[in-house]
Amino acid sequence: MKITYYGHSCFSVFAGGKNLLFDPFITPNELASAINVDLLKADYIFVSHGHFDHITDVVRIASNTGAMVLGNWEIYQWLNKQGLQKTHPINPGGKFFLISVS
């Protein structure tokens, strides 16, 4: 497992061959000024809540990577209006199971 802290609310976890990104706040984040947001890898993006300092780069990163984005119902609806289609609503403490079909 590898954990990368990008500052403030944003970090990633690489585990089990998957890149998990949490609360992507990169471009306006002074602590992440050296990070090229367009080169970040993500298979899944988790959004804790809709404040700008937790959601700023979600659409950009998800569009670049094709990541599945998980967040509460309101975030799910907002992301769909932004044109993202790989989204899933999840409540705090909720579960999401990925079923792989061969």
Side-chain angles (χ1 to χ4, degrees), residues 3-13 20-29 31-32 35 37 40-42 45-46 48 52-58 61:
I3 299 173
T4 303
Y5 176 63
Y6 295 108
H8 187 64
S9 63
C10 185
F11 65 97
S12 66
V13 175
L20 313 175
L21 184 62
F22 296 82
D23 289 337
F25 176 64
I26 305 290
T27 52
N29 182 348
L31 296 173
I35 304 299
V37 72
L40 287 177
K41 295 179 181 177
I45 300 172
F46 296 89
S48 65
F52 81 96
D53 57 343
H54 295 261
I55 199 167
T56 298
D57 295 306
V58 171
I61 295 169

Side-chain angles (χ1 to χ4, degrees), residues 16-96:
K18 298 294 183 187
N19 290 291
L20 313 175
L21 184 62
F22 296 82
D23 289 337
F25 176 64
I26 305 290
T27 52
N29 182 348
E30 291 180 19
L31 296 173
S33 62
I35 304 299
N36 182 340
V37 72
D38 294 319
L39 298 180
L40 287 177
K41 295 179 181 177
D43 296 299
Y44 297 93
I45 300 172
F46 296 89
V47 181
S48 65
H49 61 284
H51 290 168
F52 81 96
D53 57 343
H54 295 261
I55 199 167
T56 298
D57 295 306
V58 171
V59 172
R60 184 172 175 177
I61 295 169
S63 295
N64 288 341
T65 64
M68 168 71 72
V69 184
L70 294 96
N72 69 27
W73 182 258
E74 292 80 9
I75 290 170
Y76 162 78
Q77 289 183 315
W78 182 81
L79 292 170
N80 290 339
K81 289 179 184 176
Q82 305 309 305
L84 292 183
Q85 296 180 358
K86 286 184 71 177
T87 58
H88 186 78
I90 189 166
N91 291 321
K95 296 179 182 179
F96 173 77

